[in-house]
Amino acid sequence: MKSLIEHARTFRQRSATRGEELRHLAIGQNPQALFITCSDSRVMPSRITAARPGELFELRTAGNIVPPHRPGRPSGEAATLEYAVEVLGVADVVVCGHSHCGAVGALVRGDDLAAAPAVREWLDHAAPLDLASGGTAPQADAEAIAEAVRRHVLAQLANLRTYPCVQRRLDGGLRLHGWFYEIETGQVYANRPETEQFSPL
């Protein structure tokens, strides 16, 4: 934590040459996309995309889960999505899963999450888990989990389409993207809707 505090303490000095950019950001934001990804500390959207401040509106949840729309039951995820789509008018929404995902791995393996009841209940929002072919696998390897994550990304895209704000904007050109980030290589794969396969960007 000490290094993080030190960097925060000196951020103003390190940003001194970017005064005009920071003043411009203070006026407002106009992000290109809503980037929905996992809370995992190894996944850094701005590093993956080289986005500059103001270019990405981010939503991070355990397992990059987007619960289906529930009328009359507001949530942080629903509010973030609605704000990005309706107020900021983003043109694109990306759902990005990643290799070695602890949340999806727990679902695939059928981990006992009794000690983490909030996590267990949150993971109930994931699609019914036939995510890995053959169902859960106690000794699931990295590739089995990666395949489950890719299917999970598609399930979250389907959940996004249940939101009225997304449905309205899809007719107006809003684009939804499913990505898979491979931590160990840095490779990003994109879903091709016509085949439901993921291939390198």
Side-chain angles (χ1 to χ4, degrees):
M1 188 67 185
K2 288 177 65 176
S3 65
L4 300 179
I5 291 171
E6 185 56 32
H7 280 87
R9 182 179 290 129
T10 60
F11 183 70
R12 181 180 179 187
Q13 291 90 336
R14 290 183 286 116
S15 301
T17 59
R18 299 168 52 202
E20 187 57 37
E21 178 186 355
L22 296 178
R23 282 189 290 275
H24 178 73
L25 289 171
I27 296 169
Q29 59 175 321
N30 185 29
Q32 298 177 31
L34 169 61
F35 198 97
I36 302 171
T37 194
C38 187
S39 303
D40 194 300
S41 61
R42 300 166 293 179
V43 180
M44 300 177 66
S46 59
R47 179 170 287 184
I48 294 168
T49 63
R52 297 178 62 79
E55 292 183 338
L56 281 184
F57 200 66
E58 295 182 24
L59 171 59
R60 301 190 69 147
T61 69
N64 52 267
I65 291 172
V66 181
H69 174 61
R70 295 183 178 183
R73 296 183 65 180
S75 67
E77 295 77 33
T80 301
L81 176 60
E82 187 176 83
Y83 192 81
V85 170
E86 296 282 23
V87 179
L88 297 176
V90 298
D92 297 271
V93 179
V94 177
V95 176
C96 183
H98 66 93
S99 62
H100 311 286
C101 180
V104 174
L107 290 170
V108 171
R109 292 185 300 268
D111 289 356
D112 180 3
L113 296 173
V119 174
R120 183 185 60 222
E121 289 180 25
W122 174 249
L123 294 182
D124 285 344
H125 289 300
L129 218 91
D130 305 332
L131 289 179
S133 52
T136 60
Q139 303 301 322
D141 62 15
E143 182 47 42
I145 292 171
E147 176 57 24
V149 170
R150 290 187 285 266
R151 295 186 188 193
H152 177 68
V153 165
L154 299 182
Q156 303 322 298
L157 290 174
N159 285 351
L160 280 175
R161 293 186 182 95
T162 68
Y163 286 81
C165 62
V166 171
Q167 293 170 2
R168 284 191 296 272
R169 285 286 313 284
L170 283 172
D171 291 336
L174 179 70
R175 296 176 296 265
L176 304 183
H177 310 268
W179 287 9
F180 174 78
Y181 170 59
E182 196 169 66
I183 290 173
E184 59 269 42
T185 66
Q187 178 71 60
V188 179
Y189 298 83
N191 173 248
R192 310 302 176 189
E194 61 278 7
T195 63
E196 292 200 350
Q197 299 301 307
F198 285 75
S199 57
L201 277 177

